[in-house]
Amino acid sequence: MFKFPLVRNLMRFAGRAIDIGDRMARDTSAAISLKHIEAYDAIAATGSTIAASVELGISQSNASRLLQQLEDYLGVRLFEREKNRLQPTRE
């Protein structure tokens, strides 16, 4: 289903975060959706929000926004940002 193998781990982590519910402090009131997971998968596979946005048929700013919302929701940084390349973190 997803190209990037770590998506399964992210989905498990997201499931635990969702299960914790109100006990987990979140900066955003919106829940994550499949669009957020698809954006993560495409960015991880391509290494950039530009290439991921082309693949997903959305704007680059939308891909960046989806990634930022997902990181805010989970409370972790999902990518190391190096110049023009995004590398998934080891966590």
Side-chain angles (χ1 to χ4, degrees):
M1 178 173 176
F2 294 106
K3 294 180 186 124
F4 197 71
L6 292 179
V7 169
R8 278 182 243 115
N9 291 337
L10 173 66
M11 291 180 75
R12 276 189 228 119
F13 181 78
R16 279 188 300 230
I18 292 166
D19 290 342
I20 293 171
D22 292 333
R23 292 178 293 162
M24 183 177 178
R26 295 189 192 114
D27 290 335
T28 180
S29 60
I32 60 171
S33 68
L34 185 57
K35 287 191 286 187
H36 292 88
I37 304 299
E38 289 171 338
Y40 171 84
D41 183 51
I43 293 167
T46 62
S48 88
T49 56
I50 295 171
S53 67
V54 170
E55 184 175 305
L56 295 171
I58 60 176
S59 68
Q60 184 274 332
S61 61
N62 196 19
S64 294
R65 183 181 52 79
L66 288 168
L67 176 59
Q68 186 62 54
Q69 287 174 342
L70 183 59
E71 288 179 328
D72 290 346
Y73 183 84
L74 296 173
V76 294
R77 219 173 156 108
L78 299 172
F79 290 93
E80 296 292 330
R81 284 133 172 102
E82 301 174 5
K83 295 186 183 182
N84 293 332
R85 185 96 175 128
L86 295 171
Q87 291 284 88
T89 58
R90 293 186 160 216
E91 300 165 356

